[in-house]
Amino acid sequence: MTSLTAGALPAAAQAAPASATAGVTHEDNPRVPAGALWTEEYFPSSDGSDVELHADVLRPAHLPADAKTPVILSVGPYFSHAGQTAPEGWKQTGPSSRFEDLIEGARLMERGYTVVMVDLRGFGGSTGCLDFIGPGEQADIKAAVEWSASQPWSTGKVGMYGKSYDANTGLAANTLKLKPLKAIVSQEPTWNRYNYLWSNGVPRSNLTSTPRSYYSIATMAPLAGDSDRYKANAAYEKTHPECEAYNSTNTQNPDPKSDFWRDRDFASRAAGSQTPLFVTSGFIEDNTKPEQLQKYLANHQGPQRGWIGQWEHVRGNETTTKGQLKMGRAGWFDEVMRFYDEYLQDIKPSVIDPAFALEDSLGNWRAQPTWPMTSDAYKVKLAPGQYVDNGGKAQAAALSLTAPESQGLDIEYATEAGSLATEQTSALAAEAIANSYWNWSTPVSQQVRITGSPQIQLKTRGLGNAWVRMWDVAPDGKATMFNENVGALDHSGVTSFELKATDWTFQPGHRLGVQIGTITSNGWRGVPSGETITVTDARLALEVQDPQFDAPTQGDRSPYLDTYLKANTTTLTNVGTGTFTLGVTKKG
């Protein structure tokens, strides 16, 4: 990927902005990928407003200007010429390098694909107020797809590509049911935007920092070499104070059923959608967590592909400093291009890839036709109990630990902060035990995997919050917290919520520990009520799978798995008697 900044550029490379008619090559400007011809375009959004959208277009330089190609489109907030989330030190203008890894790694120009990068409203060279992928940004996505399909150099077939926020725009596009959209690759998205800022009525630690961060991106200054039109559009947010007010107030609504959040509930809105979809998601993600992943996939009715496993907020091709693939599985660009070639060019793949490639908690990879696949599903009755919703001994410290700006962003740079938060959460776990109560399964007699999205239902007296955690407990008391979520207790006395999607394999002799109590994690900003919460009834819905029927596929242990285990493992000395059974109960 090109990392050359303008300070190192020869004088001849100080190129002007790319006009709609001429175009700029890599030889003219090193910021343009090799083999590409860069132009800039402007077009209106699709909502009838005066919003004008800016696009950077990369065409194969070796093809005639009128040669028709399929289009790979990315729509998002990270394509400013100045930088993705902050100024990157460029002194000359040029297209964003955000997906240069795809352009070069998949040889898109050589293969005859056009790449289009569109700034959502309020970002880069587009006007309008950002709205957290609400109706306005959805109108931009629709306009971008239809514009890309209608150009004289387009075959009319569009695929979308993204990671994090611009993966979310792909999921949103699928719910819009756009005819020219033929394929979507979505890496590490959120499946319902509410869950990025809230957890069942409890604010996450990034509730206020994320809106601030996106407003900061939207008000990033353009480069001196940008066109007058680009500069004027880039100034929109600063000259329209209502944009910041809208962004910073409406996101603070705790009600997932409000109109604001319903518009952004893509897991529900995916019902009946058909666009072929290729997704990635980390079960132990430290940024865009896998919440309502299962619901989105269940509602989506088109062809599905996926890599899902034990990694952080990374791309399929990303490597460590030692050259290890962070997801652990080889061939990301090869699989992506077989997917695109099939749906954008009607090329039958020469290699049959598994529909879903999955890495479980032991680092083992398997192939499945869908996810989840279950051998059994049932509800476990948990014992009643009590806890004081006082936030625990560490509550004051937890509330003072606000997330760094980067932790609230849907982008790669958040992972280090997220890992630190995980370690802090683990360190607090032992102190929180006195403010919670436990249930234990009997030891499992053979391997069993908890898959899908566990769901808890609590009947309670008293108002406050609940933090539910699931632990894998070894015979010696060594325990790993592998799933969690929180919720504000409902005034009706009955509260239900899902935990994260998971794929956790228990070894023989291990047991499941379920901990219910007050919130002590700095991952949330729940305000403790101080009340004693009496849980009169608790049910945990589980989906389980028998690993003996796994079909192995290629893949190595993702490096982050060991980091996660170290940060979230402790030793318990008070493991009680098992009161329920974990395993596959169906016979035959």
Side-chain angles (χ1 to χ4, degrees):
M1 179 181 291
T2 302
S3 59
L4 189 65
T5 59
L9 292 174
Q14 302 294 327
S19 72
T21 55
V24 176
T25 66
H26 178 72
E27 289 70 30
D28 301 322
N29 179 348
R31 288 194 65 180
V32 179
L37 183 73
W38 169 48
T39 60
E40 297 181 67
E41 306 282 358
Y42 295 87
F43 54 90
S45 189
S46 66
D47 58 358
S49 67
D50 60 356
V51 169
E52 180 175 74
L53 302 177
H54 168 267
D56 289 305
V57 179
L58 300 172
R59 292 271 294 155
H62 67 281
L63 295 181
D66 59 353
K68 292 184 179 295
T69 72
V71 177
I72 294 179
L73 167 69
S74 292
V75 186
Y78 302 135
F79 301 117
S80 169
H81 293 166
Q84 293 182 48
T85 62
E88 294 173 352
W90 300 103
K91 294 180 181 177
Q92 83 172 122
T93 192
S96 172
S97 62
R98 177 160 172 79
F99 292 122
E100 198 164 329
D101 57 348
L102 171 71
I103 294 168
E104 294 181 351
R107 309 189 324 277
L108 292 184
M109 297 298 112
E110 180 184 334
R111 289 174 181 263
Y113 280 87
T114 294
V115 172
V116 177
M117 295 175 285
V118 176
D119 298 317
L120 285 169
R121 60 182 60 202
F123 296 100
S126 296
T127 65
C129 293
L130 70 162
D131 75 345
F132 211 59
I133 321 187
E137 292 184 19
Q138 290 171 42
D140 300 346
I141 296 165
K142 181 176 185 290
V145 170
E146 293 176 343
W147 182 87
S148 298
S150 66
Q151 297 310 293
W153 38 257
S154 172
T155 62
K157 292 185 176 182
V158 178
M160 292 187 71
Y161 188 88
K163 186 251 176 162
S164 205
Y165 200 114
D166 39 48
N168 298 329
T169 60
L171 296 186
N174 169 61
T175 70
L176 300 176
K177 303 177 176 67
L178 304 171
K179 188 175 181 180
L181 185 58
K182 304 299 183 182
I184 298 167
V185 177
S186 179
Q187 300 172 87
E188 308 305 302
T190 52
W191 307 88
N192 178 345
R193 293 300 284 163
Y194 174 84
N195 295 329
Y196 197 68
L197 300 181
W198 295 90
S199 296
N200 308 295
V202 178
R204 290 190 184 272
S205 61
N206 59 302
L207 175 66
T208 55
S209 64
T210 288
R212 286 200 308 269
S213 296
Y214 281 112
Y215 184 73
S216 175
I217 297 171
T219 54
M220 196 188 315
L223 297 175
D226 280 316
S227 69
D228 290 343
R229 188 174 185 178
Y230 188 101
K231 290 176 181 176
N233 286 2
Y236 187 95
E237 296 272 332
K238 283 190 174 180
T239 58
H240 290 75
E242 70 275 13
C243 294
E244 182 178 18
Y246 178 89
N247 179 54
S248 61
T249 57
N250 289 299
T251 53
Q252 306 304 292
N253 189 334
D255 181 8
K257 296 181 181 179
S258 67
D259 290 342
F260 182 86
W261 289 119
R262 284 182 187 273
D263 287 337
R264 296 157 178 81
D265 178 4
F266 300 117
S268 296
R269 293 180 55 195
S273 58
Q274 302 265 336
T275 310
L277 190 63
F278 190 163
V279 303
T280 75
S281 191
F283 289 117
I284 51 178
E285 247 274 25
D286 52 2
N287 187 334
T288 52
K289 297 174 175 61
E291 296 169 331
Q292 297 190 326
L293 156 66
Q294 184 175 358
K295 182 177 181 179
Y296 192 105
L297 294 181
N299 278 336
H300 174 253
Q301 300 302 302
Q304 294 180 356
R305 296 279 309 283
W307 288 14
I308 316 180
Q310 313 296 329
W311 49 76
E312 71 272 50
H313 198 62
V314 295
R315 306 181 185 204
N317 59 294
E318 202 167 334
T319 59
T320 67
T321 55
K322 297 179 180 179
Q324 296 172 281
L325 286 163
K326 290 189 175 181
M327 286 191 185
R329 180 172 168 84
W332 171 250
F333 290 139
D334 292 337
E335 285 200 34
V336 165
M337 292 316 299
R338 285 192 287 270
F339 178 73
Y340 279 144
D341 285 349
E342 179 177 3
Y343 292 108
L344 300 183
Q345 302 206 66
D346 299 318
I347 298 174
K348 185 177 181 180
S350 58
V351 175
I352 304 302
D353 299 303
F356 282 84
L358 298 145
E359 181 196 19
D360 75 356
S361 58
L362 301 179
N364 298 325
W365 283 82
R366 68 187 190 277
Q368 290 185 181
T370 188
W371 184 89
M373 287 181 61
T374 61
S375 305
D376 202 356
Y378 45 80
K379 287 186 178 180
V380 170
K381 181 175 173 57
L382 304 176
Q386 284 187 328
Y387 63 92
V388 178
D389 183 30
N390 61 4
K393 297 177 183 178
Q395 183 67 29
L399 288 174
S400 69
L401 291 169
T402 56
E405 288 296 306
S406 61
Q407 189 179 348
L409 278 177
D410 282 350
I411 197 165
E412 295 86 333
Y413 316 124
T415 56
E416 184 176 351
S419 299
L420 177 60
T422 301
E423 293 181 39
Q424 291 167 332
T425 300
S426 177
L428 299 177
E431 295 184 68
I433 291 173
N435 300 286
S436 63
Y437 82 99
W438 292 75
N439 278 262
W440 315 93
S441 76
T442 56
V444 301
S445 58
Q446 61 186 45
Q447 274 194 350
V448 63
R449 178 180 299 127
I450 296 179
T451 190
S453 306
Q455 183 168 345
I456 190 76
Q457 178 180 286
L458 302 173
K459 293 183 179 180
T460 56
R461 291 195 300 268
L463 293 177
N465 301 313
W467 184 18
V468 178
R469 284 173 281 179
M470 299 174 68
W471 296 76
D472 177 357
V473 186
D476 62 358
K478 190 175 182 180
T480 299
M481 193 277 291
F482 67 93
N483 204 345
E484 62 178 336
N485 209 346
V486 305
L489 296 175
D490 194 89
H491 285 73
S492 69
V494 180
T495 303
S496 297
F497 55 85
E498 278 190 355
L499 281 73
K500 297 181 293 184
T502 191
D503 206 70
W504 199 270
T505 302
F506 284 70
Q507 295 283 47
H510 286 224
R511 57 174 68 192
L512 171 63
V514 182
Q515 186 180 9
I516 303 172
T518 190
I519 301 171
T520 65
S521 168
N522 62 305
W524 289 277
R525 294 182 180 177
V527 178
S529 67
E531 294 189 26
T532 297
I533 307 300
T534 300
V535 180
T536 59
D537 187 82
R539 308 292 170 109
L540 179 66
L542 296 173
E543 294 175 287
V544 296
Q545 184 178 20
D546 189 341
Q548 70 174 311
F549 300 112
D550 287 354
T553 189
Q554 66 91 3
D556 296 326
R557 184 183 182 92
S558 56
Y560 183 69
L561 176 55
D562 290 319
T563 301
Y564 179 88
L565 292 173
K566 182 179 179 180
N568 290 277
T569 298
T570 188
T571 299
L572 301 176
T573 57
N574 59 342
V575 178
T577 303
T579 59
F580 65 90
T581 301
L582 174 66
V584 178
T585 61
K586 288 184 178 179
K587 304 296 182 183

